Amino acid sequence: MNTSATRWPVAVLGATGAVGQAFIRLLDGHPWFDLVEVAASERSAGKSYRDAAKWLEGPLRASVAGLTVKACTPDEVMAPIVFSALDSGVAGEVEAAFAKAGRLVLSNAKNYRMVADVPLVIPEVNGDHLGMLAQQRALRGWAGGIVTNANCATTVIAAALAPLHERFQVTKVFATTMQAVSGAGYPGVPSLDILGNVIPYIGDEEPKIETELGKLLGRYDGQQIVPADIVVSAHANRVPVEHGHTVCLSVGFATKPTPEQALEVLRAWRGVEAVRGLPSAPEPALIIRDEADRPQPRRDVNEGRGMATTIGRVRADHLFDLRLVAMSHNVVRGAAGGSILNAELLVSTGQLAGLRGS
Ligand code: NAP
């Protein structure tokens, strides 16, 4: 738990975008983190947050609305913990500059996810991979560091398959995604392209799903992450849903489970012990629905305050061993909420010593 008497000052980079706004909503009233700074591009810097951001959902607290948006440099943004919702076009350089300057960066961008010394973490699934952070800091001579969370569609898949992998060892996955428009940020996909339509392509999404899953379900041996040996074939589709990525999965295993055995394992799973009880941890992390027509984003996306993954339709598969459908909130579980939970786990396990900033 958070043993420090005071709340940690935190900043959000890319605070004006879809994920940045989710950070601001989720940090409102957070027991351990105090949002003190917001930053975005030069287009927004110098403006009040109220004027710079087109606020999308719910009330905007006056104390945040009145903050002046800063430029994304460690000379301007002083908080020791920095949540990054930056576009990948800029995240690489900016996040490294913050880490070098002694800040802990919790990144949503793709840039560092597959770098060997950077933890790629879904806390309930592989919270122990955060141990790589100490090696990263030593190796790079950084007082700070970078921790990433996964692509939002990969997050759904990894959460649903982690319990099954632990018990039956996943060997191959065929995944078809139906991804919400909010996954493309704001303003994102033009309405005339997506209303009443399905777009069978999301730039760069399939390679992310196909590579990140092995790292997430891999093993941290104290020195490195040994990726799980899983072959993934992904089809990524954009659908006219506001929030919630749904994924249909056909899965092959080293030890073939019956649907009943798989359901028993999914229902019993509680994930990494150290995560339970953290402020943003959903309880349970997985919700298993028996109805033939669930999960559905409209009905299930806000389970566990947007942090739970809903699973249904677990049944035998004619192609591989098992089929199932999984869904979670792409902006909360798959982005801002996932980063905040990573930070909570780092605080509660005392892994933040030596950070700089004020
Ligand atoms: P977005 O709505 O387009 O927001 C992008 C943010 O980056 C804005 O705050 C923007 O600031 C800022 N930015 C752009 N160029 C910049 C620059 N040169 N310098 C500093 N800041 C700059 O995108 P998003 O959906 O929030 O996604 C943010 C990141 O999270 C991306 O890396 C994305 O891949 C990842 N992600 C998104 C989701 C999702 O469901 N949306 C899920 C997982 C991961 P201005 O307003 O000033 O331009």
Side-chain angles (χ1 to χ4, degrees), residues 13-20 39-45 52 72 84-88 90-91 94 108-110 113 150-152 182-187 208 245 330-331 334-335:
L13 310 181
T16 50
V19 175
S41 77
E42 294 298 340
R43 294 178 289 279
S44 306
C72 291
S84 170
L86 285 173
D87 192 86
S88 60
V90 291
V94 172
N108 281 276
K110 67 175 180 183
R113 286 179 189 151
N151 162 268
C152 38
S182 59
Y186 186 82
K208 289 183 204 163
H245 289 353
N330 49 293
V331 185

Side-chain angles (χ1 to χ4, degrees), residues 87-281:
D87 192 86
S88 60
V90 291
E93 252 179 64
V94 172
E95 291 174 356
F98 275 89
K100 204 172 165 188
R103 321 302 172 71
L104 176 74
V105 181
L106 294 123
S107 169
N108 281 276
K110 67 175 180 183
N111 308 60
Y112 292 101
R113 286 179 189 151
M114 295 307 295
V115 175
D117 63 352
V118 176
L120 172 67
V121 176
I122 300 171
E124 299 93 324
V125 170
N126 63 339
D128 62 313
H129 290 200
L130 288 173
M132 279 302 296
L133 182 61
Q135 275 142 278
Q136 179 198 115
R137 295 168 86 177
L139 200 75
R140 296 183 185 237
W142 284 351
I146 299 177
V147 168
T148 60
N149 43 333
N151 162 268
C152 38
T154 317
T155 299
V156 182
I157 301 169
L161 295 187
L164 301 175
H165 183 63
E166 274 168 34
R167 180 73 178 273
F168 307 110
Q169 199 192 329
V170 174
T171 55
K172 51 190 172 182
V173 177
F174 180 85
T176 301
T177 73
M178 290 166 277
Q179 299 186 218
V181 285
S182 59
Y186 186 82
V189 190
S191 55
L192 287 180
D193 287 343
I194 195 66
L195 284 174
N197 200 16
V198 169
I199 302 172
Y201 173 72
I202 302 175
D204 206 21
E205 198 77 354
E206 290 163 1
K208 289 183 204 163
I209 297 170
E210 290 171 355
T211 54
E212 292 176 19
L213 188 67
K215 183 169 179 180
L216 286 160
L217 298 186
R219 192 172 44 83
Y220 174 53
D221 67 6
Q223 299 296 318
Q224 58 177 340
I225 313 290
V226 182
D229 190 8
I230 302 175
V231 184
V232 184
S233 171
H235 293 250
N237 302 285
R238 186 76 68 197
V239 296
V241 162
E242 184 184 7
H243 298 308
H245 289 353
T246 305
V247 188
C248 296
L249 295 162
S250 285
V251 189
F253 297 92
T255 307
K256 177 179 177 168
T258 64
E260 294 71 28
Q261 287 170 327
L263 277 164
E264 194 184 319
V265 166
L266 288 166
R267 284 207 169 90
W269 191 75
R270 291 292 173 269
V272 169
E273 171 127 26
V275 179
R276 281 179 236 157
L278 294 179
S280 302

Side-chain angles (χ1 to χ4, degrees), residues 12-29 35 37-40 44 48-67 69 85 185-187 242-243 331-332 336 340:
V12 176
L13 310 181
T16 50
V19 175
Q21 294 193 22
F23 273 119
I24 289 171
R25 278 195 302 279
L26 296 171
L27 289 167
D28 187 9
L35 177 65
E37 293 163 302
V38 289
S44 306
S48 69
Y49 185 77
R50 181 190 294 105
D51 291 339
K54 171 134 196 225
W55 187 251
L56 296 170
E57 252 180 81
L60 172 60
R61 198 179 269 271
S63 56
V64 177
L67 288 174
V69 178
Y186 186 82
E242 184 184 7
H243 298 308
V331 185
V332 179
I340 293 172

Side-chain angles (χ1 to χ4, degrees), residues 304-348:
R305 290 168 294 140
M307 289 294 284
T309 302
T310 304
I311 297 172
R313 306 217 65 214
V314 179
R315 62 210 195 279
D317 186 44
H318 307 304
L319 192 57
F320 298 154
D321 296 325
L322 206 69
R323 284 177 276 185
L324 61 147
V325 182
M327 191 276 308
S328 69
H329 199 307
N330 49 293
V331 185
V332 179
R333 175 80 256 190
S339 277
I340 293 172
L341 191 52
N342 274 332
E344 290 170 3
L345 185 55
L346 284 164
V347 168
S348 69

